Amino acid sequence: SCYPSGARVADMKVLNNSLYVSGNFTKIGGVNANKIACYNGQYWCPVEFGIDVKPVRLEVYKGDLIVNGFFNSISGYGFGNIAAYKPHLTFTGGPKNSGIADKYMLFQNYPNPFNPKTIINYELPITNYVKLVIYDISGREVKTLINEKQNAGRHNIDFDGANLSSGVYFYRLTADEFSETKKMLLVK
């Protein structure tokens, strides 16, 4: 089925030759998607972690997807009622989106700010040795979350900062020649 299960689509817009839909759904075309999804002409794909409550309207402006509604976050990024968002989507070419990425991706942790737990998501295009490390504001290593070979696809890991003090922390994902660092805020 190409239709969302249990709810109607509230709005649709075309961006980069793909159809974006929003509404009060959790599944569309056989793929789990939290209130926002994309269709590339063959396959449905969720827009990362989705939206925390039902969006009202979508617009496209200067290559960004503008989302309006009564929500607090889109895909783990904190917003209030309106957001300009450049989706990071990957389609893989199977009968349904298999979750295999075509490039390395490190996503913003969710929630952010957090207290004391947060989730870090990342994608690997190939099976590879991966290292994910948390650093404090001075660059000292706080904790190694991942240091092993992992299969291609989307991964997530929980991080518990209960034993840390409030403040800014960084997390870095490295694999082969890929390295990316993002900032997160622990507020107690």
Side-chain angles (χ1 to χ4, degrees):
S1 166
C2 286
Y3 300 100
S5 57
R8 295 185 336 204
V9 168
D11 202 1
M12 299 183 285
K13 289 292 183 258
V14 174
L15 174 63
N16 298 331
N17 297 317
S18 293
L19 176 67
Y20 287 84
V21 298
S22 66
N24 197 22
F25 56 83
T26 56
K27 187 171 239 175
I28 189 166
V31 173
N32 292 330
N34 191 21
K35 299 173 188 65
I36 188 164
C38 182
Y39 185 68
N40 72 348
Q42 293 182 302
Y43 311 109
W44 285 100
C45 181
V47 175
E48 295 178 23
F49 313 121
I51 300 176
D52 61 349
V53 296
K54 179 182 165 189
V56 175
R57 187 171 172 158
L58 298 176
E59 290 296 335
V60 174
Y61 180 73
K62 293 186 177 181
D64 288 340
L65 186 66
I66 309 297
V67 184
N68 176 260
F70 302 102
F71 56 85
N72 296 314
S73 72
I74 295 178
S75 203
Y77 298 90
F79 295 106
N81 298 331
I82 190 166
Y85 179 69
K86 193 174 295 297
H88 304 289
L89 297 172
T90 53
F91 291 99
T92 60
K96 291 182 183 161
N97 183 9
S98 66
I100 306 279
D102 62 357
K103 63 182 178 178
Y104 290 100
M105 296 284 294
L106 177 63
F107 299 100
Q108 186 64 49
N109 64 302
Y110 178 77
N112 189 39
F114 67 99
N115 178 22
K117 295 182 180 181
T118 190
I119 300 169
I120 299 171
N121 287 273
Y122 56 96
E123 292 182 351
L124 307 174
I126 59 173
T127 298
N128 206 339
Y129 184 81
V130 177
K131 191 169 185 180
L132 181 61
V133 181
I134 307 293
Y135 298 92
D136 66 16
I137 191 77
S138 64
R140 287 186 302 249
E141 185 174 317
V142 172
K143 184 169 187 172
T144 299
L145 298 176
I146 302 288
N147 192 10
E148 65 187 17
K149 189 173 187 177
Q150 291 191 321
N151 292 329
R154 179 169 266 201
H155 299 269
N156 64 57
I157 186 162
D158 295 333
F159 173 63
D160 189 341
N163 61 344
L164 300 173
S165 56
S166 293
V168 174
Y169 293 86
F170 299 90
Y171 55 101
R172 178 182 297 147
L173 179 70
T174 55
D176 279 340
E177 305 211 357
F178 174 82
S179 179
E180 187 171 353
T181 303
K182 292 201 178 282
K183 182 169 66 171
M184 60 184 173
L185 180 60
L186 172 60
V187 179
K188 291 186 174 182

